[in-house]
Amino acid sequence: DEKEKFEPTVFRDTIVQGLNEAGDDLEAIAKFLDAAGSRLDYRRYADTLFDILVAGSMLAPGGTRIDDNDKTKMTSHCVFFADEDHDAIRNYAQVSKG
């Protein structure tokens, strides 16, 4: 039995790069996440994906981000950076429901 490596940082880097390349267009972000779902194991990395979509990067226990302020390991296309109004948050929720 050969086991797959668990590499959440590689997964994070792939997702963050795709989100950042999609820009501010939530529809482009949704399309990227949909297309990436066929290549990436969302079930295996569900916690990492949730962290990225909500906080913009991976979170350590206790809730601090694990990105060392490296812009290539974080995205501003997440709930924490969204405008603080009902419609903006709803739009991000719809993207992550896919």
Side-chain angles (χ1 to χ4, degrees):
D1 247 353
E2 203 174 308
K3 292 190 177 192
E4 281 186 60
K5 281 186 167 181
F6 184 69
E7 300 183 272
T9 56
V10 172
F11 177 83
R12 176 210 50 212
D13 294 347
T14 303
I15 294 294
V16 166
Q17 179 182 4
L19 293 176
N20 288 340
E21 288 175 358
D24 292 332
D25 181 4
L26 287 180
E27 190 166 325
I29 289 172
K31 285 180 183 178
F32 161 73
L33 290 171
D34 187 43
S38 64
R39 298 185 325 305
L40 302 174
D41 192 349
Y42 282 172
R43 286 181 187 223
R44 182 181 185 108
Y45 299 106
D47 291 338
T48 303
L49 181 61
F50 181 79
D51 289 351
I52 294 166
L53 294 176
V54 172
S57 188
M58 287 174 52
L59 299 176
T64 57
R65 288 196 336 229
I66 309 173
D67 56 38
D68 301 321
N69 287 322
D70 180 345
K71 300 294 182 194
T72 64
K73 297 178 182 179
M74 55 192 279
T75 184
S76 62
H77 307 297
C78 63
V79 173
F80 281 10
F81 287 98
D83 291 336
E84 293 184 29
D85 67 61
H86 181 71
D87 289 335
I89 301 300
R90 184 169 16 112
N91 289 337
Y92 273 95
Q94 289 174 343
V95 165
S96 43
K97 279 187 351 187

